[in-house]
Tab-separated table of all heavy atoms in Angstrom:
chain	number	residue	atom	x	y	z
B	117	ILE	N	36.046	27.405	60.214
B	117	ILE	CA	35.549	28.149	61.376
B	117	ILE	C	36.230	27.758	62.683
B	117	ILE	O	36.283	28.556	63.609
B	117	ILE	CB	34.012	27.981	61.532
B	117	ILE	CG1	33.617	26.501	61.429
B	117	ILE	CG2	33.279	28.791	60.471
B	117	ILE	CD1	32.124	26.239	61.623
B	118	GLY	N	36.776	26.534	62.739
B	118	GLY	CA	37.405	26.077	63.971
B	118	GLY	C	38.698	26.794	64.295
B	118	GLY	O	39.240	26.642	65.390
B	119	TYR	N	39.214	27.541	63.365
B	119	TYR	CA	40.483	28.243	63.608
B	119	TYR	C	40.278	29.704	63.947
B	119	TYR	O	41.214	30.508	63.977
B	119	TYR	CB	41.443	27.987	62.426
B	119	TYR	CG	41.682	26.496	62.339
B	119	TYR	CD1	40.929	25.689	61.477
B	119	TYR	CD2	42.544	25.880	63.234
B	119	TYR	CE1	41.070	24.302	61.493
B	119	TYR	CE2	42.686	24.492	63.259
B	119	TYR	CZ	41.952	23.715	62.382
B	119	TYR	OH	42.084	22.354	62.421
B	120	ILE	N	39.005	30.042	64.217
B	120	ILE	CA	38.690	31.363	64.757
B	120	ILE	C	39.109	31.384	66.231
B	120	ILE	O	38.827	30.430	66.965
B	120	ILE	CB	37.170	31.638	64.660
B	120	ILE	CG1	36.728	31.753	63.198
B	120	ILE	CG2	36.800	32.898	65.440
B	120	ILE	CD1	35.216	31.855	63.027
B	121	GLY	N	39.768	32.455	66.624
B	121	GLY	CA	40.099	32.571	68.035
B	121	GLY	C	41.292	33.482	68.262
B	121	GLY	O	41.812	34.091	67.328
B	122	GLU	N	41.721	33.484	69.505
B	122	GLU	CA	42.815	34.372	69.907
B	122	GLU	C	44.113	33.958	69.199
B	122	GLU	O	44.496	32.785	69.211
B	122	GLU	CB	42.997	34.271	71.420
B	122	GLU	CG	44.024	35.245	71.965
B	122	GLU	CD	44.275	35.034	73.464
B	122	GLU	OE1	43.745	34.063	74.031
B	122	GLU	OE2	45.007	35.856	74.039
B	123	ASN	N	44.772	34.908	68.600
B	123	ASN	CA	46.047	34.733	67.895
B	123	ASN	C	45.957	33.839	66.655
B	123	ASN	O	46.971	33.370	66.156
B	123	ASN	CB	47.138	34.197	68.830
B	123	ASN	CG	47.473	35.205	69.919
B	123	ASN	OD1	46.955	36.329	69.915
B	123	ASN	ND2	48.333	34.826	70.841
B	124	MET	N	44.749	33.585	66.173
B	124	MET	CA	44.613	32.895	64.886
B	124	MET	C	43.702	33.711	63.980
B	124	MET	O	44.043	34.827	63.615
B	124	MET	CB	44.169	31.436	65.063
B	124	MET	CG	45.398	30.516	65.099
B	124	MET	SD	45.038	28.770	64.979
B	124	MET	CE	45.333	28.421	63.262
B	125	LEU	N	42.548	33.185	63.607
B	125	LEU	CA	41.712	33.897	62.634
B	125	LEU	C	40.728	34.840	63.329
B	125	LEU	O	40.089	34.483	64.318
B	125	LEU	CB	40.929	32.893	61.785
B	125	LEU	CG	41.769	31.941	60.928
B	125	LEU	CD1	40.869	30.901	60.261
B	125	LEU	CD2	42.566	32.717	59.880
B	126	ASP	N	40.598	36.031	62.758
B	126	ASP	CA	39.633	37.005	63.275
B	126	ASP	C	38.238	36.773	62.732
B	126	ASP	O	37.254	37.092	63.395
B	126	ASP	CB	40.073	38.421	62.909
B	126	ASP	CG	41.283	38.850	63.707
B	126	ASP	OD1	41.119	39.063	64.919
B	126	ASP	OD2	42.380	38.941	63.127
B	127	ALA	N	38.150	36.278	61.491
B	127	ALA	CA	36.820	36.070	60.906
B	127	ALA	C	36.924	35.065	59.769
B	127	ALA	O	37.989	34.877	59.174
B	127	ALA	CB	36.230	37.385	60.402
B	128	VAL	N	35.813	34.417	59.481
B	128	VAL	CA	35.753	33.409	58.415
B	128	VAL	C	34.474	33.604	57.602
B	128	VAL	O	33.387	33.748	58.169
B	128	VAL	CB	35.789	31.977	59.011
B	128	VAL	CG1	35.485	30.933	57.936
B	128	VAL	CG2	37.151	31.689	59.645
B	129	ALA	N	34.629	33.595	56.284
B	129	ALA	CA	33.483	33.590	55.366
B	129	ALA	C	33.141	32.139	55.059
B	129	ALA	O	34.020	31.342	54.750
B	129	ALA	CB	33.834	34.335	54.082
B	130	VAL	N	31.868	31.805	55.156
B	130	VAL	CA	31.433	30.409	55.059
B	130	VAL	C	30.604	30.196	53.791
B	130	VAL	O	29.636	30.920	53.546
B	130	VAL	CB	30.581	30.037	56.296
B	130	VAL	CG1	30.105	28.595	56.214
B	130	VAL	CG2	31.374	30.275	57.580
B	131	GLY	N	30.993	29.211	52.995
B	131	GLY	CA	30.257	28.895	51.769
B	131	GLY	C	29.363	27.680	51.941
B	131	GLY	O	29.361	27.025	52.984
B	132	GLU	N	28.584	27.382	50.913
B	132	GLU	CA	27.833	26.125	50.873
B	132	GLU	C	28.837	24.966	50.934
B	132	GLU	O	30.042	25.184	50.792
B	132	GLU	CB	27.031	26.030	49.565
B	132	GLU	CG	25.668	26.687	49.606
B	132	GLU	CD	24.783	26.144	50.727
B	132	GLU	OE1	24.766	24.919	50.929
B	132	GLU	OE2	24.119	26.948	51.389
B	133	ILE	N	28.333	23.759	51.038
B	133	ILE	CA	29.245	22.621	51.096
B	133	ILE	C	30.067	22.532	49.813
B	133	ILE	O	29.518	22.511	48.703
B	133	ILE	CB	28.450	21.332	51.373
B	133	ILE	CG1	27.898	21.433	52.800
B	133	ILE	CG2	29.347	20.094	51.204
B	133	ILE	CD1	27.159	20.249	53.297
B	134	PHE	N	31.373	22.533	49.962
B	134	PHE	CA	32.347	22.434	48.862
B	134	PHE	C	32.193	23.554	47.836
B	134	PHE	O	32.502	23.376	46.657
B	134	PHE	CB	32.247	21.066	48.155
B	134	PHE	CG	32.732	19.903	48.975
B	134	PHE	CD1	33.207	20.063	50.257
B	134	PHE	CD2	32.718	18.616	48.442
B	134	PHE	CE1	33.659	18.986	51.011
B	134	PHE	CE2	33.167	17.525	49.176
B	134	PHE	CZ	33.632	17.708	50.460
B	135	SER	N	31.704	24.711	48.247
B	135	SER	CA	31.475	25.806	47.299
B	135	SER	C	31.930	27.112	47.945
B	135	SER	O	31.662	27.359	49.124
B	135	SER	CB	29.980	25.841	46.954
B	135	SER	OG	29.709	26.858	46.041
B	136	SER	N	32.608	27.944	47.180
B	136	SER	CA	33.185	29.170	47.736
B	136	SER	C	32.129	30.075	48.364
B	136	SER	O	31.011	30.164	47.869
B	136	SER	CB	33.895	29.942	46.619
B	136	SER	OG	34.312	31.202	47.089
B	137	PRO	N	32.496	30.785	49.445
B	137	PRO	CA	31.600	31.818	49.971
B	137	PRO	C	31.410	32.915	48.928
B	137	PRO	O	32.198	33.038	47.996
B	137	PRO	CB	32.362	32.379	51.180
B	137	PRO	CG	33.470	31.427	51.448
B	137	PRO	CD	33.763	30.730	50.169
B	138	THR	N	30.385	33.731	49.129
B	138	THR	CA	30.169	34.851	48.208
B	138	THR	C	31.230	35.922	48.436
B	138	THR	O	31.846	36.002	49.508
B	138	THR	CB	28.799	35.503	48.448
B	138	THR	OG1	28.789	36.036	49.772
B	138	THR	CG2	27.676	34.496	48.300
B	139	ALA	N	31.398	36.773	47.414
B	139	ALA	CA	32.291	37.921	47.564
B	139	ALA	C	31.823	38.783	48.732
B	139	ALA	O	32.627	39.307	49.505
B	139	ALA	CB	32.301	38.729	46.266
B	140	LYS	N	30.510	38.910	48.884
B	140	LYS	CA	29.976	39.736	49.968
B	140	LYS	C	30.375	39.173	51.336
B	140	LYS	O	30.712	39.925	52.249
B	140	LYS	CB	28.459	39.828	49.866
B	140	LYS	CG	27.861	40.726	50.919
B	140	LYS	CD	26.423	41.075	50.625
B	140	LYS	CE	25.934	42.198	51.532
B	140	LYS	NZ	26.097	41.878	52.960
B	141	SER	N	30.350	37.843	51.469
B	141	SER	CA	30.747	37.255	52.753
B	141	SER	C	32.230	37.493	53.032
B	141	SER	O	32.622	37.780	54.162
B	141	SER	CB	30.427	35.761	52.791
B	141	SER	OG	29.027	35.579	52.817
B	142	PHE	N	33.073	37.369	51.990
B	142	PHE	CA	34.489	37.703	52.190
B	142	PHE	C	34.626	39.182	52.599
B	142	PHE	O	35.386	39.506	53.513
B	142	PHE	CB	35.296	37.437	50.910
B	142	PHE	CG	35.788	36.012	50.767
B	142	PHE	CD1	35.273	35.178	49.792
B	142	PHE	CD2	36.782	35.508	51.600
B	142	PHE	CE1	35.735	33.866	49.648
B	142	PHE	CE2	37.250	34.197	51.472
B	142	PHE	CZ	36.721	33.376	50.488
B	143	THR	N	33.874	40.055	51.927
B	143	THR	CA	33.941	41.483	52.269
B	143	THR	C	33.502	41.711	53.715
B	143	THR	O	34.147	42.457	54.459
B	143	THR	CB	33.022	42.308	51.333
B	143	THR	OG1	33.348	41.991	49.986
B	143	THR	CG2	33.205	43.802	51.561
B	144	ASP	N	32.415	41.067	54.115
B	144	ASP	CA	31.913	41.255	55.479
B	144	ASP	C	32.893	40.684	56.513
B	144	ASP	O	33.021	41.226	57.619
B	144	ASP	CB	30.529	40.611	55.636
B	144	ASP	CG	29.452	41.403	54.889
B	144	ASP	OD1	29.720	42.568	54.519
B	144	ASP	OD2	28.353	40.867	54.659
B	145	ALA	N	33.578	39.585	56.151
B	145	ALA	CA	34.592	39.033	57.061
B	145	ALA	C	35.751	40.021	57.203
B	145	ALA	O	36.277	40.235	58.302
B	145	ALA	CB	35.082	37.682	56.554
B	146	ILE	N	36.145	40.631	56.077
B	146	ILE	CA	37.222	41.635	56.104
B	146	ILE	C	36.825	42.793	57.023
B	146	ILE	O	37.595	43.218	57.891
B	146	ILE	CB	37.514	42.144	54.672
B	146	ILE	CG1	38.197	41.033	53.846
B	146	ILE	CG2	38.368	43.423	54.699
B	146	ILE	CD1	38.265	41.317	52.345
B	147	LYS	N	35.588	43.265	56.856
B	147	LYS	CA	35.125	44.391	57.681
B	147	LYS	C	35.088	44.013	59.164
B	147	LYS	O	35.425	44.825	60.029
B	147	LYS	CB	33.723	44.827	57.238
B	147	LYS	CG	33.720	45.569	55.909
B	147	LYS	CD	32.299	45.987	55.556
B	147	LYS	CE	32.261	46.658	54.193
B	147	LYS	NZ	30.875	46.776	53.689
B	148	ALA	N	34.675	42.770	59.442
B	148	ALA	CA	34.573	42.335	60.842
B	148	ALA	C	35.943	42.241	61.501
B	148	ALA	O	36.060	42.276	62.721
B	148	ALA	CB	33.871	40.977	60.915
B	149	ALA	N	37.002	42.107	60.676
B	149	ALA	CA	38.351	41.898	61.220
B	149	ALA	C	39.182	43.170	61.246
B	149	ALA	O	40.236	43.203	61.886
B	149	ALA	CB	39.073	40.833	60.388
B	150	ASP	N	38.747	44.197	60.551
B	150	ASP	CA	39.604	45.376	60.376
B	150	ASP	C	39.571	46.313	61.574
B	150	ASP	O	38.528	46.835	61.939
B	150	ASP	CB	39.189	46.146	59.121
B	150	ASP	CG	40.094	47.343	58.898
B	150	ASP	OD1	41.326	47.162	58.952
B	150	ASP	OD2	39.582	48.466	58.697
B	151	SER	N	40.758	46.525	62.159
B	151	SER	CA	40.867	47.478	63.269
B	151	SER	C	41.451	48.793	62.778
B	151	SER	O	41.724	49.687	63.565
B	151	SER	CB	41.780	46.895	64.353
B	151	SER	OG	43.138	46.925	63.904
B	152	GLY	N	41.686	48.863	61.461
B	152	GLY	CA	42.306	50.058	60.901
B	152	GLY	C	43.726	49.817	60.402
B	152	GLY	O	44.313	50.666	59.737
B	153	ARG	N	44.289	48.641	60.715
B	153	ARG	CA	45.656	48.337	60.271
B	153	ARG	C	45.690	47.423	59.046
B	153	ARG	O	46.740	46.959	58.642
B	153	ARG	CB	46.460	47.705	61.410
B	153	ARG	CG	46.762	48.710	62.535
B	153	ARG	CD	47.860	48.176	63.430
B	153	ARG	NE	49.149	48.152	62.743
B	153	ARG	CZ	50.198	47.432	63.145
B	153	ARG	NH1	50.097	46.651	64.203
B	153	ARG	NH2	51.343	47.463	62.481
Side-chain angles (χ1 to χ4, degrees):
Chain B
I117 48 178
Y119 300 95
I120 293 173
E122 185 185 7
N123 295 355
M124 266 191 99
L125 298 174
D126 288 290
V128 170
V130 179
E132 274 304 318
I133 292 183
F134 290 1
S135 181
S136 173
T138 63
K140 183 166 192 304
S141 291
F142 274 111
T143 307
D144 288 344
I146 290 168
K147 287 181 183 166
D150 182 49
S151 73
R153 291 196 69 198

